[in-house]
Amino acid sequence: QKEVEQDPGPLSVPEGAIVSLNCTYSNSAFQYFMWYRQYSRKGPELLMYTYSSGNKEDGRFTAQVDKSSKYISLFIRDSQPSDSATYLCAMSLASGGSYIPTFGRGTSLIVHP
Amino acid sequence: ETGVTQSPTHLIKTRGQQVTLRCSSQSGHNTVSWYQQALGQGPQFIFQYYREEENGRGNFPPRFSGLQFPNYSSELNVNALELDDSALYLCASSKTEVSGKTQYFGPGTRLLVL
């Protein structure tokens, strides 16, 4: 079993839909949870990160962490064709000043007009 | 754009050869991490350099080695290339004294080993 599991999709939705992307993990020591967006032939771009459990909102994006269930989610409201990309979850331990994230394999999202 | 640059953008090598990939970190960042991303997979951590010293290493063999220079740019060297080394190689820089949880990725170098 991988430390971080993520459904590769593709997930295809119409423009304007609410998108839910999820990851599960096995290491209960993870403390930082990140979501990255990766467009084709580009490097990942950090969207959001949260510490421990709870919700965090940034514009159309909401990240949720449920440590009791070892489950994290990213919600995208009013999805746009420009949101079409691969979304990677990542998580890490809290270890001094540096951190080494473990990534999921990414979910491919397609938002069609 | 993040300000992290990588060269070359694409590279084709044959099995057994050696390759050097380069990364310039974002201004003000003193930490560089390297990742390997195989097709359809998430990035896998190779190693990290902080102020010119290796500061952590993932599950990669010794033929993967690196350097960080005084200007915090970095190199990834891979010896004795294997077919499975074909992947996108990403570097990411971060400013550890502010937040070790945020890092900025470059566009990557796509390596094909034949």
Side-chain angles (χ1 to χ4, degrees):
Chain A
Q1 181 192 11
K2 286 191 173 182
E3 271 196 302
V4 179
E5 298 279 0
Q6 186 175 12
D7 187 329
L11 177 62
S12 182
V13 301
E15 183 176 354
I18 297 174
V19 175
S20 172
L21 303 165
N22 311 293
C23 289
T24 59
Y25 62 95
S26 58
N27 188 345
S28 58
F30 284 140
Q31 296 276 16
Y32 293 101
F33 303 90
M34 286 75 66
W35 285 96
Y36 288 83
R37 177 175 62 196
Q38 186 174 23
Y39 291 113
S40 180
R41 302 190 178 279
K42 299 284 188 183
E45 168 196 11
L46 179 68
L47 283 175
M48 301 178 71
Y49 79 86
T50 55
Y51 174 72
S52 196
S53 285
N55 294 359
K56 187 172 183 179
E57 187 173 324
D58 184 0
R60 297 185 295 113
F61 299 90
T62 300
Q64 286 186 352
V65 175
D66 182 350
K67 291 190 73 179
S68 62
S69 302
K70 299 191 185 70
Y71 187 89
I72 70 171
S73 301
L74 178 71
F75 297 96
I76 306 174
R77 290 183 299 281
D78 187 25
S79 56
Q80 303 295 311
S82 59
D83 294 327
S84 298
T86 296
Y87 289 80
L88 298 154
C89 65
M91 43 202 80
S92 70
L93 308 173
S95 176
S98 65
Y99 85 117
I100 297 168
T102 300
F103 282 85
R105 63 181 299 182
T107 298
S108 175
L109 171 66
I110 301 167
V111 181
H112 51 87
Chain B
E1 299 298 322
T2 63
V4 179
T5 60
Q6 291 185 245
S7 63
T9 55
H10 297 83
L11 204 51
I12 300 174
K13 291 285 189 178
T14 55
R15 195 169 47 182
Q17 285 188 311
Q18 178 266 342
V19 69
T20 297
L21 310 181
R22 295 179 175 84
C23 171
S24 291
S25 59
Q26 186 161 310
S27 176
H29 288 187
N30 57 19
T31 302
V32 173
S33 301
W34 285 92
Y35 296 83
Q36 180 195 67
Q37 186 176 23
L39 197 61
Q41 301 297 318
Q44 297 288 312
F45 174 74
I46 302 175
F47 44 58
Q48 181 182 86
Y49 279 84
Y50 170 65
R51 293 186 174 177
E52 302 179 58
E53 298 286 332
E54 188 176 292
N55 185 43
R57 188 178 183 93
N59 189 26
F60 280 81
R63 58 189 187 85
F64 286 79
S65 63
L67 281 174
Q68 187 179 32
F69 300 100
N71 65 356
Y72 302 130
S73 65
S74 178
E75 283 183 358
L76 164 66
N77 298 290
V78 187
N79 293 322
L81 284 167
E82 300 177 0
L83 298 180
D84 285 349
D85 295 334
S86 295
L88 180 68
Y89 288 85
L90 296 160
C91 80
S93 72
S94 59
K95 205 172 158 185
T96 57
E97 70 271 20
V98 174
S99 171
K101 283 76 67 182
T102 55
Q103 57 181 358
Y104 298 90
F105 282 87
T109 292
R110 193 164 296 276
L111 173 65
L112 177 61
V113 182
L114 301 175

